[in-house]
Amino acid sequence: MNTPTYTKVDPALSPPKKDFRFLLMAIVAGLGGLLFGYDSGVVAGVLLFLRSTFHLSASMLGLFVAIALGAAAVGAAFAGVLSDTFGRRPVLIITAIMFILGALLAALSESIAMLFIGRIVEGAAIGVSSVLTPLYLAEIAATHWRGAIVTINQFYITFGIFLSYLVDYALSGTTGGWRWMLGLGAVPGVILLTGMLVLPESPRWLAGHNLLEKARAALRFLRGTLDVQAELDHLHKDVVEEGRRAAPWARLLQKDVRKPLIIGVGLAIFQQITGINAVIYFAPTIFQDAGLSSASVSILATVGVGAVNVIMTLVSMRLMDSVGRRKLLLWGLCGMLTTLIIIGLGFTLNLHGTLSYLVVFMVAAFVGFFAIGLGPVFWLLISEIFPLAIRGRGASIATIANWVSNMVVSGIFLDLLLTIGRSSTFFLYAGMTVLAILFTLWVVPETKGVSLEDIESHIDTL
């Protein structure tokens, strides 16, 4: 039986030089990730003020968190079909406007209705951004840079969370600080909007719609050279001649899409049921339960966890295109499993005093292992593994699964603590991590150095 061969890099192309275009892609397009992270993390501080300002009950505070996650799932559901139909760039431009409007509505709200409408708009924008930012980055980046460029999105997410923790801490003692916490989310939205007016449409999307001259112009801008004929010919052959244009939803039911769907949806669910967002949203609560002396100490410890998240994401970016996606995923999952078991044992032994900081250290290590593996690898893979004709919709389905899992896990976390206890909760997450390791070993391929077209053609042999 002959094994199909595939091209490790775009044919006839050497790596383009890293100039201002590379930086523009890295900084501007990734701002969608920063907004995703900031708007997700900032609620931790905002909740402390909303209780007194709007006299919200515990259930209403929970709804304030959940409503953005629900809107994100809806936004993710529409992101794929909209971007496959109208293009990646215009939908990202509209998303930037939604971020700005949502942040301002929530920050200036004088009623509960206006506050919740602002969060719905922001949540929908987060959902769209979580699908399209890695997708757009994967399609505009040269193969040689794709892992690092797309992983920048995850760096922005982690940096946005870290930044939100710092903002929450800095503004926690000011009058009306919660308004500034929410309103500052409009600033990167303005930068994203400005940048997307400069960056071109995805050349792959343009080629898929037979707009070859526009695809040529986009490639010239992105690669910084007039000689893009080899890459354009490659796109034309794989995208147009082989019929990889936008396809109906029924295309998702075909046999060659089955494996990408299993990988995307599976990793989406495992990313949440292993406990990451329960830790991100409720880190101060976990630390106080572990015996830290005060709320301020718990918040500072949370800032430290956010810093670890950022640092390890940078490490992942450096290794993604050399070590490979699958190996980093397995390393990260094994580290997560170890730390979850130790956290569970720490709560079982009911550590006090200095020993309680062991739980803090293990939570930080857990987040660090997530940041090097399951965090960035999931978002990168769903931007790579789906056929171009349904790439947006395939990524949407995986992202919807991610947001729904996020909403369920975050919504039941406190109930789990009360029902089965702190140690059992973390042992449960450890069990889910074991399943994630087995899933990766059996199903997840290595896509390092393989062009998007060759991934599409040979997904079953990778």
Side-chain angles (χ1 to χ4, degrees):
M1 179 177 178
N2 295 325
T3 302
T5 58
Y6 50 87
T7 309
K8 277 288 182 180
V9 294
D10 292 339
L13 290 175
S14 58
K17 294 181 179 179
K18 293 182 179 179
D19 57 11
F20 80 93
R21 297 168 184 83
F22 179 91
L23 294 175
L24 188 64
M25 285 186 274
I27 294 172
V28 175
L31 282 171
L34 186 143
L35 287 159
F36 176 177
Y38 182 88
D39 287 334
S40 297
V42 77
V43 295
V46 171
L47 290 176
L48 301 176
F49 294 90
L50 295 185
R51 186 188 302 273
S52 58
T53 303
F54 292 101
H55 307 291
L56 297 180
S57 64
S59 60
M60 287 295 287
L61 289 173
L63 181 60
F64 177 77
V65 175
I67 199 168
L69 299 176
V74 174
F78 285 98
V81 67
L82 289 174
S83 69
D84 283 344
T85 303
F86 300 107
R88 314 326 189 190
R89 181 173 174 266
V91 179
L92 280 171
I93 289 173
I94 293 172
T95 301
I97 295 172
M98 291 171 64
F99 272 122
I100 297 168
L101 291 177
L104 294 178
L105 275 173
L108 299 175
S109 60
E110 296 294 339
S111 67
I112 295 175
M114 186 175 176
L115 176 70
F116 276 55
I117 290 172
R119 285 301 290 173
I120 290 172
V121 174
E122 280 190 291
I126 289 172
V128 174
S129 176
S130 64
V131 174
L132 288 193
T133 298
L135 182 65
Y136 177 73
L137 288 173
E139 292 187 344
I140 66 174
T143 298
H144 320 276
W145 303 341
R146 194 174 67 239
I149 284 287
V150 178
T151 307
I152 284 174
N153 179 60
Q154 180 67 18
F155 165 74
Y156 270 99
I157 293 173
T158 59
F159 183 73
I161 293 171
F162 175 63
L163 183 63
S164 72
Y165 289 161
L166 289 178
V167 169
D168 284 352
Y169 184 75
L171 297 175
S172 60
T174 62
T175 303
W178 67 272
R179 295 187 184 275
W180 285 103
M181 293 175 190
L182 293 171
L184 286 172
V187 175
V190 171
I191 300 172
L192 174 62
L193 175 61
T194 304
M196 288 309 303
L197 293 174
V198 176
L199 284 170
E201 179 57 84
S202 159
R204 283 178 170 82
W205 184 89
L206 291 169
H209 286 72
N210 210 25
L211 301 171
L212 297 183
E213 287 308 310
K214 290 185 177 181
R216 185 192 307 276
L219 284 172
R220 284 175 174 173
F221 178 88
L222 293 168
R223 306 297 182 251
T225 176
L226 296 178
D227 185 16
V228 295
Q229 189 60 47
E231 187 171 2
L232 185 63
D233 288 345
H234 190 49
L235 287 177
H236 182 265
K237 177 179 182 296
D238 283 297
V239 174
V240 179
E241 291 182 2
E242 295 183 15
R244 296 178 185 174
R245 303 187 187 187
W249 281 97
R251 177 77 170 81
L252 289 166
L253 301 177
Q254 295 181 5
K255 184 178 179 180
D256 65 315
V257 185
R258 190 178 304 155
K259 184 175 179 180
L261 275 177
I262 291 172
I263 295 167
V265 173
L267 288 179
I269 294 172
F270 281 122
Q271 195 189 62
Q272 297 303 322
I273 65 175
T274 49
I276 184 61
N277 276 319
V279 171
I280 293 295
Y281 296 151
F282 301 105
T285 301
I286 295 170
F287 294 151
Q288 283 192 308
D289 286 346
L292 294 195
S293 57
S294 67
S296 61
V297 173
S298 296
I299 292 173
L300 283 176
T302 303
V303 172
V305 170
V308 170
N309 201 5
V310 173
I311 293 168
M312 295 309 292
T313 300
L314 289 172
V315 173
S316 180
M317 288 170 55
R318 179 68 179 83
L319 298 176
M320 194 67 72
D321 285 318
S322 56
V323 173
R325 287 75 154 134
R326 190 171 183 269
K327 188 175 291 185
L328 282 180
L329 182 55
L330 288 169
W331 287 357
L333 286 169
C334 289
M336 289 167 62
L337 174 61
T338 302
T339 53
L340 285 168
I341 291 173
I342 295 174
I343 292 169
L345 290 173
F347 280 121
T348 300
L349 298 174
N350 198 22
L351 299 178
H352 292 290
T354 304
L355 289 177
S356 65
Y357 284 92
L358 176 64
V359 173
V360 176
F361 178 76
M362 284 297 106
V363 168
F366 168 76
V367 171
F369 283 118
F370 176 87
I372 203 172
L374 188 53
V377 171
F378 162 68
W379 296 110
L380 175 56
L381 282 178
I382 66 169
S383 71
E384 294 180 327
I385 58 177
F386 291 103
L388 175 64
I390 54 155
R391 187 169 293 149
R393 278 167 283 186
S396 283
I397 290 173
T399 308
I400 292 167
N402 188 264
W403 282 112
V404 171
S405 301
N406 184 350
M407 185 167 55
V408 172
V409 172
S410 301
I412 68 173
F413 177 70
L414 294 178
D415 289 331
L416 276 176
L417 293 181
L418 292 173
T419 305
I420 66 175
R422 296 168 297 181
S423 58
S424 296
T425 298
F426 284 96
F427 287 141
L428 176 62
Y429 291 149
M432 297 298 102
T433 306
V434 171
L435 295 179
I437 292 171
L438 296 175
F439 178 83
T440 301
L441 289 171
W442 290 336
V443 180
V444 177
E446 180 56 72
T447 59
K448 179 189 73 173
V450 187
S451 72
L452 294 177
E453 291 72 36
D454 287 327
I455 292 172
E456 177 175 347
S457 299
H458 306 298
I459 185 69
D460 287 326
T461 63
L462 293 178

